[in-house]
Amino acid sequence: MSEEQKKPEHRSRPYTKAFRQFVASGWAERDTSAPDRARVADFAADRRASASADFAGRRLVVPAGGLKVRSNDCDYQFRPHSAFAHLTGLGSDREPDAVLVLEPTESGHEAVLYFRPLAGRDTEEFFGDSRYGEFWVGARPTLEDIEAELGVTARHIDELPDALAKDAGAVQLAVVRDADRDITALVDKVRSEAGVEQQETTLDDELARVLSTMRLIKDDWEIEQMQDAVDATERGFEAVIADLPKALESGRGERWVEGVFGLVARHEGNGVGYDSICASGDHANTLHWIKNTGEVKDGDLLLLDAGVEVDSLYTADITRTLPVNGTFSEVQRKIYDAVHAAQEAGIAAVKPGNKFSDVHAAAIRVIAEHLFEWGLLPEGVDVEKTLDTEEGQYHRRWMVHGTSHHLGIDVHDCALARKEDYMDAELKPGMILTVEPGLYFKADDQLVPQEFRGIGVRIEDDVLVTQDGHRTLSDHMPRSSSDVEEWIARVQRG
């Protein structure tokens, strides 16, 4: 018995010569017309040119990443590494195991995409490979398809090792190390065999940082994708609002909310951009509550932090805090209105020339003012004392997180940028950031009035920096307490 025949996954599959000939025959001719050039192709080419300018003469290796096992022989749905998606324009589930190589030339770099193209019907892969075979997972593009769609050179992934090894002693390699450990190991092996004495991880780190920092300013295509993601997210929120009565009566209502939003996200785009936070009652005071196992009860506030990721992989990130029964109680409204005022101050600070940190400073001051007014700060501590970053910060007990982060192809985009390029940087047109203050009064917090305990509120919107100020991409989603109540009533009336 051959080793192949011993494998359990092969026991039930026919492998006779006669069957292989049979399964390869009788198929209609494939449509070999080339796909249209993708609209994103020119934008992606500009992004690659930017990276090229920073790494003249270096061979840049940007993997998509491979399939990851969920359990046994089942893989997670594939999502390419964000740097790969940004530089190629490929989104959704494309293309596992692909590697973009920017090959140095006299005038810059040539973009070469190495991937596993469509296999012939006469191959073992076509019928027998459950991970990559067309019978199992569908047809992949051909080399010609990729070249027509993206405007890059396409080559078979089997050619990658020789391509990386070419002139490796003279040409420095840089790889996005966290994208695919097998490709990273291959690059390190090529370096070692070429006599490179020290692994060039410093250059690798610089490549990852540059590719992350490039995404701080979105091009026109990216801004359109972000608006599409926000618009789809609004439809997801309205589906949740419409189904709130069902969440109340179904048990484990947080899971019902998660499922309703997830249905819209999967239908409208690639799926959710991150695990949805569907936090009812005191669960809203756990900042990353993604278990979503709780009940949704009459009289609770539901904090829904969720975003649709569109097929291009750009994601919205929106939070609304909704009174489950449609009406805020007096104390809920008091807390909600304070958070709304803080958000208004934060959004107003989004404009060119201001620093990224100015947004947080504006919002957190309003939070501190309300906490002082309510008598929650320690005795002798006023607003200015608590805002002192060295000696104060008492208000952060009730809002521990920052007010903003950059947003785009990752929900926390540009995370590898240096502090001076992110937190300390000036806001520039094309940046997209969240503004999301909150107040969180845990049920067991004995330093706040009884009626505050168990109430958590966050309001989050996605804001584009423009030439003359800002545009709130999610501005059509109601935010004030009265507008939220009207929104719920309108949606539930149908």
Side-chain angles (χ1 to χ4, degrees):
M1 179 182 293
S2 70
E3 288 302 311
E4 184 177 68
Q5 289 172 316
K6 290 178 183 178
K7 295 179 181 179
E9 64 267 27
H10 289 286
R11 288 175 182 166
S12 61
R13 297 183 202 162
Y15 278 89
T16 64
K17 181 179 180 180
F19 177 79
R20 291 184 183 188
Q21 292 175 343
F22 176 70
V23 80
S25 65
W27 303 103
E29 290 293 322
R30 297 186 190 275
D31 179 4
T32 57
S33 58
D36 293 336
R37 183 177 174 89
R39 200 172 75 82
V40 69
D42 291 337
F43 291 96
D46 289 342
R47 300 167 199 162
R48 294 193 297 271
S50 178
S52 173
D54 284 331
F55 294 93
R58 276 74 175 268
R59 181 174 292 138
L60 309 182
V61 183
V62 185
L67 295 165
K68 294 179 175 60
V69 174
R70 183 183 188 277
S71 64
N72 191 25
D73 58 352
C74 297
D75 294 320
Y76 285 104
Q77 182 182 349
F78 178 70
R79 184 194 190 278
H81 190 279
S82 295
F84 175 89
H86 189 243
L87 293 180
T88 63
L90 291 174
S92 193
D93 58 354
R94 301 178 65 190
E95 292 286 329
D97 301 318
V99 180
L100 174 69
V101 176
L102 298 186
E103 186 68 30
T105 66
E106 290 184 1
S107 59
H109 285 82
E110 177 191 10
V112 184
L113 187 66
Y114 294 85
F115 75 107
R116 185 186 299 271
L118 180 67
R121 288 165 174 152
D122 59 345
T123 63
E124 174 73 19
E125 180 181 293
F126 170 67
F127 175 79
D129 192 325
S130 62
R131 204 174 205 194
Y132 300 106
E134 181 180 350
F135 236 87
W136 297 83
V137 297
R140 292 190 304 277
T142 64
L143 297 175
E144 295 77 15
D145 289 338
I146 286 292
E147 291 185 340
E149 181 185 3
L150 301 181
V152 299
T153 300
R155 292 181 184 157
H156 198 291
I157 190 65
D158 290 348
E159 299 180 34
L160 179 66
D162 288 342
L164 296 185
K166 181 182 177 182
D167 301 325
V171 178
Q172 283 185 303
L173 278 79
V175 62
V176 178
R177 297 189 71 84
D178 69 337
D180 187 318
R181 64 182 181 184
D182 292 336
I183 299 300
T184 296
L186 173 61
V187 169
D188 287 343
K189 180 173 180 288
V190 168
R191 287 168 171 167
S192 177
E193 291 178 351
V196 177
E197 294 183 2
Q198 184 176 359
Q199 299 299 322
E200 298 174 352
T201 55
T202 300
L203 185 61
D204 296 342
D205 292 343
E206 179 69 4
L207 175 61
R209 184 194 66 78
V210 167
L211 296 185
S212 184
T213 305
M214 278 173 51
R215 303 203 301 269
L216 284 167
I217 297 178
K218 273 61 179 177
D219 57 40
D220 290 345
W221 184 86
E222 292 177 286
I223 292 169
E224 289 178 13
Q225 297 302 302
M226 288 299 302
Q227 187 65 69
D228 288 347
V230 168
D231 292 346
T233 298
E234 179 184 11
R235 293 189 284 275
F237 271 73
E238 293 200 342
V240 167
I241 291 171
D243 233 29
L244 276 177
K246 189 70 174 177
L248 272 164
E249 68 185 41
S250 295
R252 288 219 297 181
E254 291 177 346
R255 286 286 171 92
W256 191 272
V257 169
E258 179 184 351
V260 170
F261 187 86
L263 170 63
V264 175
R266 189 65 175 146
H267 183 255
E268 296 261 355
N270 192 52
V272 294
Y274 52 95
D275 288 331
S276 300
I277 298 170
C278 309
S280 187
D282 190 46
H283 286 164
N285 296 308
T286 300
L287 298 180
H288 290 166
W289 177 260
I290 59 173
K291 295 180 181 179
N292 300 335
T293 53
E295 303 288 337
V296 173
K297 299 177 181 178
D298 188 6
D300 277 354
L301 295 180
L302 172 69
L303 189 157
L304 177 57
D305 184 336
V308 173
E309 177 185 85
V310 292
D311 290 336
S312 60
L313 304 182
Y314 288 80
T315 184
D317 182 7
I318 306 292
T319 305
R320 290 292 182 269
T321 306
L322 309 167
V324 172
N325 61 15
T327 304
F328 290 98
S329 71
E330 183 179 350
V331 68
Q332 288 171 347
R333 189 183 307 275
K334 178 179 180 178
I335 295 168
Y336 185 97
D337 288 349
V339 174
H340 182 233
Q343 195 202 28
E344 291 283 271
I347 291 175
V350 179
K351 56 186 176 182
N354 270 6
K355 288 189 175 182
F356 178 88
S357 55
D358 289 338
V359 181
H360 176 74
I364 202 67
R365 173 171 286 276
V366 176
I367 292 293
E369 288 171 349
H370 280 82
L371 293 170
F372 175 72
E373 179 187 335
W374 296 338
L376 299 186
L377 299 180
E379 186 175 353
V381 174
D382 61 13
V383 171
E384 298 305 325
K385 284 184 179 180
T386 193
L387 290 174
D388 186 317
T389 56
E390 299 295 328
E391 302 293 336
Q393 300 295 292
Y394 299 98
H395 55 285
R396 296 299 292 274
R397 176 187 176 106
W398 298 288
M399 184 184 151
V400 68
H401 60 79
T403 301
S404 296
H405 58 79
H406 281 272
L407 180 67
I409 206 166
D410 287 343
V411 67
H412 296 135
D413 212 14
C414 316
L416 299 181
R418 294 192 185 108
K419 184 174 182 287
E420 58 264 32
D421 295 323
Y422 197 127
M423 295 297 297
D424 295 338
E426 285 190 3
L427 298 177
K428 297 178 180 179
M431 290 181 170
I432 296 178
L433 55 144
T434 65
V435 182
E436 51 175 313
L439 278 170
Y440 310 93
F441 300 109
K442 290 181 175 291
D444 57 355
D445 188 346
Q446 296 184 348
L447 296 187
V448 300
Q450 180 68 44
E451 62 268 24
F452 280 27
R453 297 175 193 173
I455 295 176
V457 173
R458 181 164 65 251
I459 313 170
E460 177 180 19
D461 285 270
D462 304 339
V463 185
L464 167 69
V465 184
T466 62
Q467 292 290 342
D468 56 357
H470 66 264
R471 173 161 64 90
T472 304
L473 301 180
S474 46
D475 199 38
H476 45 296
M477 296 178 66
R479 291 188 292 124
S480 72
S481 56
S482 59
D483 286 348
V484 166
E485 289 173 334
E486 291 174 7
W487 187 30
I488 294 171
R490 173 176 55 79
V491 171
Q492 293 184 348
R493 282 197 306 267

Coordinates of all heavy atoms in Angstrom, one line a residue, residues 241 244-245 248 280 296-302 321-330 332-333 484-486 488-489 492:
I241 N -32.0 47.4 15.3 CA -33.1 48.2 15.9 C -34.5 47.6 15.6 O -35.3 47.4 16.5 CB -33.0 49.7 15.5 CG1 -31.8 50.3 16.1 CG2 -34.3 50.4 15.9 CD1 -31.5 51.7 15.5
L244 N -35.0 44.5 17.8 CA -34.8 44.5 19.2 C -35.9 43.8 20.0 O -35.6 43.1 21.0 CB -34.7 46.0 19.7 CG -33.3 46.6 19.6 CD1 -33.4 48.1 20.0 CD2 -32.3 45.8 20.4
P245 N -37.2 43.9 19.6 CA -38.2 43.1 20.3 C -38.0 41.6 20.3 O -38.2 41.0 21.3 CB -39.5 43.5 19.5 CG -39.3 44.8 19.0 CD -37.8 44.8 18.6
L248 N -35.3 40.8 22.8 CA -35.8 40.8 24.2 C -36.4 39.5 24.5 O -36.3 39.0 25.7 CB -36.8 42.0 24.3 CG -36.4 43.3 24.7 CD1 -37.4 44.4 24.4 CD2 -36.0 43.4 26.2
S280 N -25.2 44.6 26.6 CA -26.5 45.1 27.2 C -26.2 45.2 28.7 O -25.6 44.4 29.3 CB -27.6 44.2 26.9 OG -28.8 44.7 27.4
V296 N -30.8 40.7 26.7 CA -31.2 42.1 26.4 C -32.5 42.3 27.1 O -33.5 41.7 26.8 CB -31.3 42.3 24.9 CG1 -31.8 43.7 24.6 CG2 -29.9 42.1 24.3
K297 N -32.5 43.2 28.1 CA -33.6 43.4 29.0 C -34.3 44.8 28.8 O -33.6 45.8 28.5 CB -33.2 43.2 30.5 CG -32.6 41.9 30.8 CD -32.2 41.8 32.2 CE -31.6 40.4 32.6 NZ -31.0 40.4 34.0
D298 N -35.6 44.8 29.0 CA -36.3 46.1 29.0 C -35.7 47.0 30.1 O -35.5 46.6 31.2 CB -37.8 45.8 29.3 CG -38.7 47.0 29.1 OD1 -38.2 48.0 28.6 OD2 -39.9 46.9 29.4
G299 N -35.5 48.2 29.7 CA -34.9 49.2 30.6 C -33.3 49.3 30.5 O -32.7 50.2 31.0
D300 N -32.7 48.3 29.8 CA -31.3 48.3 29.6 C -30.9 49.3 28.5 O -31.7 49.7 27.6 CB -30.7 47.0 29.2 CG -30.5 46.0 30.4 OD1 -30.7 46.5 31.5 OD2 -30.2 44.8 30.1
L301 N -29.6 49.7 28.5 CA -29.0 50.3 27.4 C -28.2 49.2 26.6 O -27.5 48.4 27.3 CB -28.0 51.4 27.7 CG -28.6 52.7 28.4 CD1 -27.5 53.7 28.7 CD2 -29.7 53.3 27.5
L302 N -28.3 49.2 25.3 CA -27.5 48.3 24.5 C -26.4 49.1 23.8 O -26.7 50.0 23.0 CB -28.4 47.6 23.4 CG -27.7 46.8 22.4 CD1 -27.1 45.5 23.0 CD2 -28.6 46.4 21.2
T321 N -25.3 53.7 21.5 CA -25.8 53.2 22.7 C -27.3 53.4 22.7 O -27.8 54.6 22.6 CB -25.2 53.8 23.9 OG1 -23.7 53.6 23.9 CG2 -25.7 53.2 25.2
L322 N -28.1 52.3 22.7 CA -29.5 52.4 22.4 C -30.3 52.0 23.6 O -30.1 50.9 24.2 CB -29.8 51.5 21.2 CG -29.0 51.6 19.9 CD1 -29.2 50.4 19.0 CD2 -29.3 52.9 19.2
P323 N -31.4 52.8 23.9 CA -32.3 52.3 25.0 C -33.1 51.2 24.4 O -33.8 51.4 23.4 CB -33.1 53.6 25.3 CG -33.0 54.4 24.0 CD -31.7 54.1 23.4
V324 N -33.1 50.1 25.0 CA -33.7 48.9 24.5 C -35.2 49.1 24.3 O -35.8 48.6 23.3 CB -33.4 47.6 25.4 CG1 -34.3 46.4 24.9 CG2 -31.9 47.3 25.3
N325 N -35.9 49.8 25.2 CA -37.3 50.0 25.1 C -37.7 51.3 24.3 O -38.8 51.6 24.2 CB -38.0 50.0 26.5 CG -37.4 51.2 27.3 OD1 -36.8 52.1 26.9 ND2 -37.7 51.1 28.7
G326 N -36.6 51.9 23.8 CA -36.9 53.1 22.9 C -36.8 54.4 23.6 O -36.8 55.4 22.9
T327 N -36.7 54.4 24.9 CA -36.7 55.7 25.7 C -35.6 55.7 26.8 O -35.5 54.7 27.6 CB -38.0 56.0 26.3 OG1 -39.0 56.0 25.3 CG2 -38.0 57.3 27.0
F328 N -34.8 56.7 26.8 CA -33.8 56.8 27.9 C -34.5 57.1 29.2 O -35.4 58.0 29.2 CB -32.8 57.9 27.6 CG -31.8 57.6 26.5 CD1 -32.1 58.1 25.2 CD2 -30.7 56.8 26.7 CE1 -31.2 57.9 24.1 CE2 -29.8 56.6 25.6 CZ -30.0 57.1 24.4
S329 N -34.0 56.5 30.3 CA -34.4 57.0 31.6 C -33.8 58.3 31.9 O -32.8 58.7 31.2 CB -34.1 56.0 32.7 OG -32.7 55.9 32.9
E330 N -34.2 59.0 33.0 CA -33.6 60.3 33.3 C -32.1 60.2 33.5 O -31.3 61.0 33.0 CB -34.3 60.9 34.5 CG -33.8 62.3 34.9 CD -34.5 62.8 36.1 OE1 -35.5 62.2 36.5 OE2 -34.1 63.9 36.6
Q332 N -30.0 57.7 32.6 CA -29.4 57.3 31.3 C -29.2 58.4 30.4 O -28.1 58.6 29.8 CB -30.2 56.2 30.6 CG -30.2 54.8 31.3 CD -31.3 53.9 30.7 OE1 -32.1 54.3 30.0 NE2 -31.2 52.6 31.1
R333 N -30.2 59.3 30.3 CA -30.1 60.4 29.4 C -29.0 61.4 29.9 O -28.2 62.0 29.1 CB -31.4 61.2 29.3 CG -31.4 62.3 28.2 CD -32.8 63.0 28.2 NE -33.9 62.1 28.1 CZ -34.4 61.7 27.0 NH1 -33.8 62.0 25.8 NH2 -35.4 60.8 27.0
V484 N -31.8 59.7 18.7 CA -31.7 58.2 18.8 C -33.1 57.7 19.1 O -33.5 56.7 18.6 CB -30.7 57.8 19.9 CG1 -30.9 56.4 20.2 CG2 -29.3 58.1 19.4
E485 N -33.8 58.3 20.1 CA -35.2 57.8 20.4 C -36.1 57.9 19.2 O -36.9 57.0 18.9 CB -35.8 58.7 21.5 CG -35.1 58.4 22.9 CD -35.6 59.3 24.0 OE1 -36.0 60.5 23.6 OE2 -35.5 58.9 25.1
E486 N -36.0 59.0 18.4 CA -36.8 59.1 17.2 C -36.4 58.1 16.1 O -37.3 57.5 15.4 CB -36.7 60.5 16.6 CG -37.3 61.6 17.5 CD -37.0 63.0 17.0 OE1 -36.4 63.1 15.8 OE2 -37.4 64.0 17.7
I488 N -35.2 55.0 16.7 CA -35.7 53.7 17.1 C -37.2 53.7 16.8 O -37.7 52.7 16.2 CB -35.4 53.5 18.6 CG1 -33.9 53.4 18.9 CG2 -36.2 52.2 19.1 CD1 -33.6 53.3 20.3
A489 N -37.9 54.7 17.1 CA -39.4 54.7 16.8 C -39.6 54.6 15.3 O -40.5 53.9 14.9 CB -40.0 56.0 17.4
Q492 N -38.7 51.0 13.9 CA -39.6 50.0 14.4 C -41.0 50.1 13.9 O -41.8 49.2 13.9 CB -39.6 49.9 15.9 CG -38.2 49.4 16.5 CD -38.2 49.2 18.0 OE1 -39.0 49.7 18.7 NE2 -37.1 48.6 18.4

